[in-house]
Amino acid sequence: MSIDLPFHKSWFDDNEINEVIETLKSGWLTTGPKTKRFEDDFKDYIGCGYAIGLNSCTAGLHLALATKRFKAGDEVITTTMTFPATANVIMHERLCPVLVDVEPGTLTIDVNQILEKITPKTRAIMPVHFAGHPCDMDPVMELAEKYKLLIIEDAAHALETKYKGRKIGGLGNPTAFSFYANKNITTGEGGMLTTNDESLDEMVRVMRLHGLSRDAWKRFGKSGFSQWELRLPGFKYNMADINAALGIHQLKKINNFLKIRKQYAAMYDEAFSQIPELEILEKRDYAEPSYHLYIIALRLEQLTITRDQFVDKIQSAGVGVAIHYQALHLQPLYKKKFNTRLDDYPVATSYSARILSLPLYPRMSVQDIERVSNVVADIISCNRR
Ligand SMILES: Cc1ncc(COP(=O)(O)O)c(C=O)c1O
């Protein structure tokens, strides 16, 4: 099987390449002036108080939680339809992930089911802006306020997403973004935590680098040498300048990238709206999505093939696709450790067997989108029940 239209390709030009070369020539590769510049630009773009450069979104989720020092066994509510990282960090802190099903249409956390999962041990809620569509944050924030819970937003898919006209990352909750290779902008690997809380900003800056009081750039900086002190047992989660060099220029392209994604998503919508065997995801009135993923769900009862057979056929036609996701409660870890049952999460269970993500990125051409649409339509028409 040879794939000539991959699921994702990043878009760099001479600006990124020259900035990386300049970083290499400067001799300073790790956290330093480029990271600081990217953090400042990112903070301005989001319109938040603070932005801390990290080596992943996972690091951001983990640090936002770790700085709170909840008691082992306390509970954190999140969605079952997410990448393992969201819930792994809960377990790293010896806390218990409590999974909630998703709402049909957007696959974001079903806000109406959060209340029934809140117990005296609940400490936090981690909503995931799935595929770049925002969760309905007002009711989540009302619950958090009422029950004194922390909110940490997983915005791995949601750079550029707006909720009721406000950018995700600027709603006042600690929010973690990803710059992994296939994200809307990329630094290869990387992440950013945004917050309006000065003390969280300070704590995360210490915790991202082993718990040291000052990072190397400041220790050897112009203001004279000063020795570090170890404050806390921290982590090695800092962003390196060589990655930030990419981010600085990727961020400048963000509006153009979003325009192209939106145009291509509309082309897919148009092509698939007349195919009854396909369900396309919905957009709520409060949402301006980032169009990070374009997900289709197969109506399997109307087809003679399974989702996995569909994936084989589309890849045989040279088009790369991916699955986001097989829900967490279906994973062996959760079945074994938490005894999760399929009928506790009927919506996510059903979608997990029927969804796939089509390629959607600015380096694709209009012809590529038409090609993918035609391949999908052909597979459907050859396999109708
Ligand atoms: C929903 C979600 N959360 C968290 C992550 C982790 O991001 P990173 O790879 O930057 O740690 C991902 C990664 O794709 C994700 O999809």
Side-chain angles (χ1 to χ4, degrees):
M1 189 180 334
S2 135
I3 291 185
D4 61 309
L5 180 53
F7 178 67
H8 183 76
K9 256 197 229 170
S10 303
W11 184 341
F12 299 123
D13 59 29
D14 285 348
N15 290 311
E16 282 92 338
I17 293 166
N18 291 336
E19 195 77 43
V20 170
I21 292 171
E22 204 260 315
T23 308
L24 295 176
K25 286 183 175 165
S26 80
W28 193 273
L29 303 187
T30 185
T31 313
K34 306 271 171 179
T35 303
K36 166 90 172 70
R37 194 168 132 203
F38 184 35
E39 289 175 341
D40 288 346
D41 293 352
F42 196 86
K43 185 181 70 165
D44 291 347
Y45 170 76
I46 296 286
C48 56
Y50 306 91
I52 308 127
L54 302 166
N55 60 9
S56 68
C57 172
T58 309
L61 297 170
H62 189 189
L63 290 179
L65 202 54
T67 46
K68 291 294 166 187
R69 312 248 179 133
F70 294 129
K71 268 206 328 279
D74 283 347
E75 295 171 358
V76 178
I77 292 174
T78 191
T79 159
T80 184
M81 193 52 114
T82 188
F83 188 64
T86 319
N88 281 351
V89 302
I90 300 171
M91 283 188 264
H92 292 330
E93 289 303 300
R94 297 169 176 263
L95 304 169
C96 180
V98 174
L99 303 180
V100 174
D101 204 358
V102 290
E103 56 164 51
T106 66
L107 308 195
T108 53
I109 192 163
D110 186 341
V111 172
N112 296 319
Q113 294 188 38
I114 295 179
L115 179 59
E116 66 202 53
K117 303 273 178 152
I118 295 177
T119 74
K121 286 183 159 185
T122 310
R123 297 290 170 261
I125 307 174
M126 291 173 76
V128 177
H129 303 298
F130 185 78
H133 188 289
C135 300
D136 191 1
M137 289 304 293
D138 279 348
V140 177
M141 283 158 69
E142 276 161 31
L143 280 175
E145 168 118 29
K146 182 162 177 200
Y147 293 93
K148 307 268 170 289
L149 307 175
L150 169 72
I151 295 178
I152 300 169
E153 295 176 55
D154 182 336
H157 301 175
L159 178 56
E160 306 157 304
T161 298
K162 288 186 183 165
Y163 172 71
K164 296 190 176 171
R166 295 165 70 194
K167 276 189 190 141
I168 292 300
L171 302 185
N173 310 303
T175 302
F177 294 89
S178 174
F179 310 122
Y180 177 70
N182 70 0
K183 295 299 188 278
N184 283 23
I185 68 167
T186 184
T187 59
E189 296 279 1
M192 192 77 76
L193 186 73
T194 59
T195 177
N196 289 337
D197 176 346
E198 187 180 357
S199 63
L200 180 65
D201 172 68
E202 262 172 37
M203 184 93 102
V204 168
R205 284 181 191 283
V206 170
M207 294 282 274
R208 77 173 169 177
L209 198 70
H210 307 293
L212 307 185
S213 56
R214 315 202 76 191
D215 63 38
W217 184 45
K218 294 209 185 107
R219 286 201 307 278
F220 302 113
K222 289 193 187 99
S223 49
F225 177 78
S226 72
Q227 179 57 292
W228 51 260
E229 287 169 354
L230 178 63
R231 300 256 171 90
L232 296 154
F235 302 91
K236 185 69 168 76
Y237 281 166
N238 54 312
M239 175 174 277
D241 270 19
I242 201 158
N243 300 95
L246 298 173
I248 289 165
H249 294 283
Q250 287 273 289
L251 193 60
K252 291 183 182 157
K253 302 190 168 93
I254 199 164
N255 293 334
N256 187 36
F257 281 178
L258 180 61
K259 211 168 102 201
I260 301 172
R261 283 179 178 276
K262 191 171 174 183
Q263 179 201 344
Y264 288 178
M267 287 177 67
Y268 277 146
D269 282 350
E270 170 77 22
F272 301 143
S273 60
Q274 303 305 321
I275 304 181
E277 293 83 1
L278 287 186
E279 176 185 340
I280 53 181
L281 294 192
E282 295 164 21
K283 185 176 89 56
R284 301 279 182 253
D285 287 346
Y286 53 73
E288 288 169 66
S290 66
Y291 301 96
H292 173 54
L293 300 173
Y294 192 91
I295 295 180
I296 52 173
L298 307 177
R299 295 202 163 96
L300 293 173
E301 69 287 356
Q302 299 180 31
L303 294 167
T304 55
I305 51 172
T306 64
R307 186 271 314 276
D308 290 356
Q309 287 167 330
F310 191 99
V311 168
D312 281 343
K313 287 181 190 296
I314 193 166
Q315 301 215 119
S316 299
V319 174
V321 294
I323 310 289
H324 300 89
Y325 298 95
Q326 182 83 345
L328 290 182
H329 70 277
L330 301 171
Q331 302 295 342
L333 172 67
Y334 282 81
K335 285 193 194 154
K336 254 201 247 154
K337 194 171 162 70
F338 301 105
N339 213 7
T340 49
R341 290 163 3 130
L342 304 199
D343 36 345
D344 289 341
Y345 308 93
V347 179
T349 300
S350 160
Y351 277 102
S352 293
R354 325 194 268 121
I355 46 176
L356 65 142
S357 307
L358 301 177
L360 175 70
Y361 48 93
R363 271 190 75 186
M364 290 174 80
S365 63
V366 165
Q367 290 73 26
D368 289 332
I369 298 287
E370 286 167 354
R371 173 179 160 195
V372 177
S373 307
N374 291 336
V375 169
V376 169
D378 283 351
I379 299 172
I380 297 281
S381 77
C382 295
N383 295 281
R384 285 203 163 98
R385 209 172 263 290

